[in-house]
Amino acid sequence: MATVSQMMQSSLFPQLRLIAGESGIYRRVNGINIVEKEELTMFCRPNELVVTTGVLIANDINALQRLIKQTFNKRTAGFIINIGPYIAQIPDCIIQFANEHEYPLFQMEWEHRVTDLLKATFQFITTNQQERSLEEQAMNQLLFHYQHHATHLSETLERLNFPKHAEYGIIVCATRSEATNIQRYATFVLTAFQQRYEHFIHFQYRNQLIYLIDRTSVKTINIPFSQTVTSIYNRIEKRYGELDVIIGIGSFYTALEKIHKSYEEALTVIQLANLHNNQYLYKYKDIGAYQIIMGIDNPVLLENFHQEMLGRLYRYDELNNTDFILFLRIYLEENGSTNRISQRTFIHRNTVLYKVNKIETLLDINLNNTFTKTNLYLAFLIEDVLKHRM
């Protein structure tokens, strides 16, 4: 669906000037409605733009305040005021309301006809729907049915403004909880990516938002991808009071047949970020040793190493209903710091020392040995990879 931000970038709306509520340009637009008095807001629908000439308000500021509050409560996309004989200028209180509620507020001068605005909006929405249909079809074919559509996909991507020698990469946005609908965050992500990239295409698959980008089309080259993701996370946390979304990006490839690989890499990043509760893990290239382990096409070798390092501790936990495996992983993640382990596990530091000694006895190892700690942590990484493959 189209957004206010896309509408502002279109050449169809030179008559509109955004004067407040810029933080809300992520809002979606699916129609437009003329509303001249508060009682008519009952006919407003979510995601519609609302335009008023003030013909029934006649510079009554209180009436205009009630009107904009009612249309906002109807979850409309934005508010357009036709400045002229009935509303001479937009009051400061209306501007303040729009800014506080992230509600896009536009001004349109009287010489511009409302009927022309309506026509332009319908044309914009229709064109956007056609483009979205082509994008979704192309994304589906690229990621899941490439072999059947390989002959024409290059041409399709050129129609969608990707150059012949683009460096393609996939970004995936997913939720930590399966109960949360990813569409809840779609406009936040879309707005940020519109600011970062010259162009991209996207669609929703299951509960994932998937974006195809070209690395050469970055507009904000001095701003790292991590900063863009952090800004998205911050806005979501501010809005909902929690962060239930994870964003991951795969590697870049010039060959179309490898785009699905970038998608799988992005999913791997999301899985690992969720596993380690690490919201700062964004890129496949940053997953480090996991890449090496994933490149080993010998699951028996990996499983044997994992069992050799951790098998005895797993069996002890199972027989005695203890949690030494979990404790050992935390010990390694905190680099053996007694204070940090104590704070993270809510146990006394003496208990921490007891558990360290117990693990050393059970596995016949010395946890002060760097090589030993490396091998144990590698075993945990292998465990993550084997679970992911399953």
Side-chain angles (χ1 to χ4, degrees):
M1 188 182 293
T3 65
V4 174
S5 176
Q6 290 173 314
M7 189 186 77
M8 291 168 57
Q9 296 170 18
S10 171
S11 60
L12 294 171
F13 302 97
Q15 71 274 52
L16 296 183
R17 183 164 69 91
L18 182 70
I19 62 170
E22 184 176 1
S23 298
I25 60 174
Y26 60 83
R27 293 175 179 272
R28 293 180 288 174
V29 178
N30 65 6
I32 189 167
N33 201 342
I34 302 173
V35 179
E36 298 293 4
K37 60 179 181 177
E38 185 181 353
E39 291 81 354
L40 296 177
T41 58
M42 63 181 293
F43 298 107
C44 291
R45 296 291 179 266
N47 303 318
E48 285 184 335
L49 286 168
V50 174
V51 57
T52 186
T53 64
V55 64
L56 300 180
I57 293 176
N59 287 313
D60 184 338
I61 295 178
N62 292 329
L64 184 59
Q65 277 186 300
R66 291 194 299 271
L67 180 60
I68 193 171
K69 287 179 180 179
Q70 285 295 326
T71 58
F72 171 77
N73 290 335
K74 289 288 186 176
R75 295 184 288 119
T76 55
F79 200 81
I80 303 169
I81 297 179
N82 197 191
I83 297 299
Y86 304 109
I87 302 178
Q89 63 179 16
I90 300 178
D92 291 340
C93 60
I94 301 297
I95 293 174
Q96 181 179 349
F97 176 87
N99 283 328
E100 287 178 353
H101 293 82
E102 298 185 351
Y103 189 46
L105 176 64
F106 293 90
Q107 176 176 308
M108 184 174 75
E109 299 301 328
W110 189 254
E111 66 259 23
H112 298 292
R113 301 194 313 160
V114 173
T115 53
D116 292 335
L117 174 64
L118 298 181
K119 279 194 258 184
T121 304
F122 293 139
Q123 180 183 343
F124 167 73
I125 292 171
T126 301
T127 302
N128 181 268
Q129 289 173 343
Q130 292 171 345
E131 291 175 350
R132 291 292 304 126
S133 178
L134 180 61
E135 288 183 14
E136 290 173 1
Q137 183 184 61
M139 290 287 285
N140 189 278
Q141 292 173 355
L142 271 170
L143 296 180
F144 309 117
H145 307 285
Y146 178 78
Q147 296 300 327
H148 300 291
H149 303 279
T151 54
H152 69 266
L153 274 172
S154 179
E155 180 183 337
T156 301
L157 289 175
E158 283 190 56
R159 286 177 58 192
L160 292 169
N161 298 316
F162 284 92
K164 278 189 176 181
H165 303 292
E167 295 181 53
Y168 299 103
I170 291 290
I171 302 174
V172 177
C173 306
T175 59
R176 297 179 184 273
S177 168
E178 293 182 1
T180 305
N181 190 326
I182 192 63
Q183 274 297 326
R184 185 186 194 191
Y185 309 116
T187 48
F188 294 97
V189 180
L190 185 64
T191 300
F193 286 177
Q194 286 172 344
Q195 294 170 349
R196 180 171 179 81
Y197 301 106
E198 293 286 352
H199 63 270
F200 57 87
I201 61 175
H202 62 102
F203 84 139
Q204 181 174 344
Y205 173 71
R206 294 178 178 170
N207 203 31
Q208 304 165 4
L209 299 175
I210 307 174
Y211 300 81
L212 177 69
I213 62 169
D214 172 18
R215 182 158 60 177
T216 64
S217 74
V218 177
K219 292 189 288 188
T220 52
I221 57 175
N222 294 323
I223 299 176
F225 178 73
S226 58
Q227 190 170 325
T228 298
V229 176
T230 300
S231 69
I232 294 171
Y233 287 170
N234 288 342
R235 289 200 64 187
I236 290 173
E237 258 188 315
K238 180 182 177 182
R239 180 71 175 273
Y240 296 108
E242 61 178 357
L243 186 62
D244 189 31
V245 65
I246 309 175
I247 297 175
I249 183 172
S251 302
F252 291 91
Y253 300 97
T254 55
L256 296 185
E257 61 267 24
K258 291 189 175 181
I259 291 178
H260 186 270
K261 185 177 180 182
S262 181
Y263 170 64
E264 291 179 337
E265 291 169 348
L267 291 182
T268 297
V269 173
I270 287 173
Q271 192 240 3
L272 294 174
N274 194 29
L275 178 67
H276 296 291
N277 194 27
N278 182 359
Q279 69 182 67
Y280 300 105
L281 182 61
Y282 316 114
K283 300 180 180 180
Y284 183 75
K285 72 174 188 177
D286 292 340
I287 66 175
Y290 281 114
Q291 290 190 51
I292 300 173
I293 297 170
M294 290 174 180
I296 299 175
D297 192 20
N298 188 339
V300 175
L301 174 66
L302 296 176
E303 181 63 38
N304 287 342
F305 181 83
H306 175 263
Q307 283 298 315
E308 185 178 340
M309 299 304 301
L310 299 174
R312 188 181 305 172
L313 202 57
Y314 264 106
R315 288 189 291 273
Y316 185 90
D317 274 351
E318 187 175 349
L319 290 172
N320 297 278
N321 196 29
T322 50
D323 63 350
F324 287 115
I325 279 290
L326 176 61
F327 176 85
L328 178 57
R329 184 157 199 160
I330 293 172
Y331 174 90
L332 295 171
E333 290 175 349
E334 298 298 345
N335 199 27
S337 170
T338 303
N339 289 334
R340 290 201 300 269
I341 296 169
S342 177
Q343 291 172 2
R344 185 169 166 182
T345 56
F346 303 104
I347 60 177
H348 194 273
R349 63 189 317 274
N350 289 340
T351 307
V352 172
L353 296 175
Y354 162 76
K355 288 195 170 189
V356 169
N357 291 332
K358 185 68 173 179
I359 290 172
E360 288 181 327
T361 301
L362 289 170
L363 296 182
D364 191 21
I365 58 173
N366 179 0
L367 283 174
N368 288 321
N369 186 292
T370 302
F371 190 66
T372 299
K373 288 191 288 187
T374 300
N375 285 336
L376 288 169
Y377 195 68
L378 183 60
F380 279 116
L381 298 185
I382 288 173
E383 179 179 304
D384 296 341
V385 171
L386 291 175
K387 286 181 179 179
H388 177 67
R389 285 179 177 175
M390 293 172 62

